[in-house]
Amino acid sequence: MDFALLAAAANMAPVECIADCGEHVGTPAWAMLAYLASGVFFILALRGLSSPATSRAGNRNGMIGMVIAVVTTLVTHDIANIAEIGIAMFLGGLIGVTVARKIAMTAMPELVAGFHSLVGLAAVVVGLAAWLDPASFGITDAADQILMVSRIELGLGIAIGAITFSGSIIAFLKLSGRMSGNPIMLPMRHVINLGTLLAILGLIAAYAVSGAGGAGEGQLILWITVLAFIIGFLLIIPIGGADMPVVVSMLNSYSGWAAAAMGFTLGNTAMIITGALVGSSGAILSYIMCKAMNRSFISVIAGGFGADDGGGASGEAREARPYKQGSADDAAFMLDQAEKVIIIPGYGMAVAQAQHILREMCDVLEEKGVEVKFAIHPVAGRMPGHMNVLLAEASVDYDKVFELEDINSEFAQADVAFIIGANDVVNPAAKTDKSSPIYGMPVFDVEKAKQVFFIKRSMGGVGYAGVDNDVFYMDQTMMLLSDAKKMVEEIVKALD
């Protein structure tokens, strides 16, 4: 649940303001307590979402908190017509329900990126509205000029919102396949990015100290908005597919800070709390994921800083190498003889919607006395927790699902490493090839297993990072070339 998006969409109304001093006053005590209560529920929601076992309770707490915040805002609003608010909420809710019912699990990452773009756009629109009619937002002084602190808040809110919007659009295009997942390296990109960011900060400072109003002030706001839109594109374009899960969580953080900045402008406690929670939690998650991938946090948020301009492009010619191809019967026979099987799911499993039949295979093997575990990489799929959600949807027990650091040492004792739709997260090039775009990323040690089954559609495809995988050609690897769901169905039939 994206609390920042919901808070921004609710367009929480500002409190009343005394024109001669510019201070926000008039918020009822009960409303402040209600906003505080909603903040507590948001914290409980984030706590619940930290584990698949408590995620449903976390979502419920988030919905309760948002209901409290929205109802409080509707009761205390004093600007917009209640009918207009109701129509907007109905239309937004209708669109949300329609999208949620139709969206496939494989499209969830780009949906999240799309939601983040809406948060950013909402922040920009609210900021521009406050600039155009500051008196209604209670941010003017006795001379009807926008307060300096409000100018800073407006400038930062618009800038962060515009960066979030344009960056999320690029993330959406990359995740949905409408744009290449390979890094697009612009010449002198670091100089351009740094110069653009400094220009935005300089324009915000100039706007903060200006007090004349009129066309000059409008030009400053216009340039802040335009440059922020541009830098959002420039920051995300150089980031490759292997780092896209980090980008998703990073953009989530940006959307939170944009909402928080607008909360200060609107004088709304709920938006400040919500935005700060989303912003800080997204930043922490991004840092944790960067650490798990052996990536520099600063490098990723700086727009692919330090990325290799040449390594691992998917368009490079690949040498034809010998590999062993097997059948469902071959795999079933060896699985039946195994004592320990570790399953590594990836995005290909999500595309094929093979999680349910995979759970059935797990049940059959356990009935035969085989120990089965699932190994989840921090960046498996296209967003944080993607594989966990799919396995939970298929009713896989949480105690069978393990993170990389908890299970990687067990591959040496595993009879079978069963890779279904994963690629980059099992690629040993991350450990040996310094020219690879995934070099330094911790990966599963599947090559230590006695037998490796690798399900993929064909040998022609490569992982999202665009690099070949030596695991395909190992002596103990058997390639099962087929649709993941169809292959696992055939294995289950052979096991029976």
Side-chain angles (χ1 to χ4, degrees):
M1 174 178 292
D2 198 325
F3 306 129
L5 173 62
L6 293 173
N11 193 17
M12 297 182 178
V15 294
E16 296 175 356
C17 177
I18 297 179
D20 61 353
C21 67
E23 297 180 354
H24 294 297
V25 295
T27 303
W30 71 266
M32 297 294 289
L33 291 174
Y35 285 148
L36 180 61
S38 69
V40 171
F41 275 105
F42 293 151
I43 294 172
L44 293 174
L46 291 175
R47 178 67 181 88
L49 293 174
S50 63
S51 169
T54 58
S55 59
R56 290 182 183 273
N59 271 307
R60 283 195 296 269
N61 286 330
M63 289 187 285
I64 293 171
M66 186 51 60
V67 168
I68 294 173
V70 171
V71 170
T72 303
T73 299
L74 292 177
V75 172
T76 59
H77 85 285
D78 57 357
I79 295 180
N81 183 282
I82 192 67
E84 295 173 347
I85 295 176
I87 293 172
M89 291 180 64
F90 173 78
L91 292 176
L94 181 62
I95 294 172
V97 170
T98 303
V99 171
R101 289 177 63 89
K102 291 186 176 182
I103 198 71
M105 283 302 301
T106 52
M108 194 60 67
E110 53 260 43
L111 176 66
V112 172
F115 279 168
H116 290 161
S117 71
L118 296 179
V119 178
L121 185 61
V124 173
V125 171
V126 171
L128 293 176
W131 168 67
L132 290 171
D133 190 11
S136 296
F137 285 78
I139 56 175
T140 56
D141 56 18
D144 289 332
Q145 295 294 320
I146 301 177
L147 298 167
M148 179 179 291
V149 65
S150 296
R151 291 172 182 269
I152 296 174
E153 294 163 1
L154 278 176
L156 290 175
I158 291 174
I160 298 173
I163 291 172
T164 304
F165 173 75
S166 55
S168 298
I169 292 298
I170 295 297
F172 171 84
L173 294 175
K174 282 177 173 276
L175 289 166
S176 62
R178 292 174 172 85
M179 176 183 289
S180 172
N182 294 326
I184 301 174
M185 301 298 182
L186 302 177
M188 298 182 64
R189 63 186 182 280
H190 306 315
V191 175
I192 295 174
N193 290 350
L194 181 60
T196 306
L197 288 172
L198 291 176
I200 292 172
L201 293 175
L203 289 169
I204 293 175
Y207 173 64
V209 299
S210 67
E217 206 172 85
Q219 290 178 1
L220 290 174
I221 289 292
L222 175 63
W223 277 111
I224 291 171
T225 306
V226 171
L227 290 178
F229 279 132
I230 292 174
I231 195 62
F233 288 114
L234 296 177
L235 287 174
I236 307 302
I237 282 179
I239 298 178
D243 293 326
M244 285 311 294
V246 181
V247 172
V248 172
S249 61
M250 182 179 67
L251 291 171
N252 183 62
S253 177
Y254 289 173
S255 69
W257 298 126
M262 288 300 100
F264 281 106
T265 298
L266 298 175
N268 188 276
T269 307
M271 282 190 72
I272 296 171
I273 295 174
T274 303
L277 284 173
V278 174
S280 57
S281 62
I284 293 170
L285 177 60
S286 300
Y287 175 77
I288 291 173
M289 295 185 67
C290 284
K291 187 176 180 180
M293 296 170 62
N294 196 28
R295 292 287 195 265
S296 166
F297 182 66
I298 299 299
S299 297
V300 174
I301 66 174
F305 183 87
D308 188 348
D309 289 13
S314 60
E316 295 178 355
R318 296 168 56 203
E319 178 186 356
R321 299 165 64 182
Y323 63 91
K324 286 189 258 185
Q325 183 173 352
S327 66
D329 290 333
D330 298 327
F333 176 78
M334 295 183 185
L335 287 169
D336 192 31
Q337 303 302 313
E339 294 182 1
K340 183 173 185 176
V341 175
I342 300 178
I343 301 173
I344 305 97
Y347 187 66
M349 183 193 75
V351 172
Q353 287 290 286
Q355 63 270 25
H356 297 282
I357 189 63
L358 187 65
R359 195 260 306 159
E360 289 184 30
M361 187 188 80
C362 175
D363 293 342
V364 172
L365 289 174
E366 288 180 331
E367 289 175 1
K368 294 176 177 289
V370 181
E371 180 186 8
V372 181
K373 293 184 176 181
F374 290 82
I376 306 297
H377 195 279
V379 296
R382 295 292 187 267
M383 63 178 290
H386 198 183
M387 294 301 104
N388 300 79
V389 172
L390 289 174
L391 294 179
E393 181 188 25
S395 301
V396 173
D397 292 340
Y398 300 134
D399 57 2
K400 296 177 185 175
V401 180
F402 297 87
E403 301 295 332
L404 182 145
E405 63 272 12
D406 298 323
I407 200 172
N408 216 17
S409 61
E410 298 187 27
F411 280 97
Q413 292 80 45
D415 295 294
V416 175
F418 191 91
I419 305 167
I420 175 169
N423 198 331
D424 297 329
V425 298
V426 297
N427 195 334
K431 298 180 283 186
T432 59
D433 186 0
K434 292 185 178 180
S435 67
S436 173
I438 62 173
Y439 178 72
M441 182 177 77
V443 295
F444 289 117
D445 297 329
V446 296
E447 68 276 7
K448 295 181 180 180
K450 296 175 184 176
Q451 177 70 50
V452 177
F453 293 128
F454 210 122
I455 299 180
K456 67 193 304 287
R457 287 184 177 273
S458 70
M459 293 300 295
V462 293
Y464 197 52
V467 292
D468 203 2
N469 193 336
D470 286 340
V471 173
F472 300 160
Y473 317 105
M474 296 191 311
D475 291 337
Q476 73 268 40
T477 298
M478 182 177 290
M479 301 301 299
L480 305 175
L481 303 180
S482 175
D483 173 81
K485 184 177 181 180
K486 180 180 178 182
M487 176 57 70
V488 178
E489 286 175 345
E490 293 177 357
I491 292 174
V492 171
K493 290 179 182 178
L495 283 170
D496 290 338

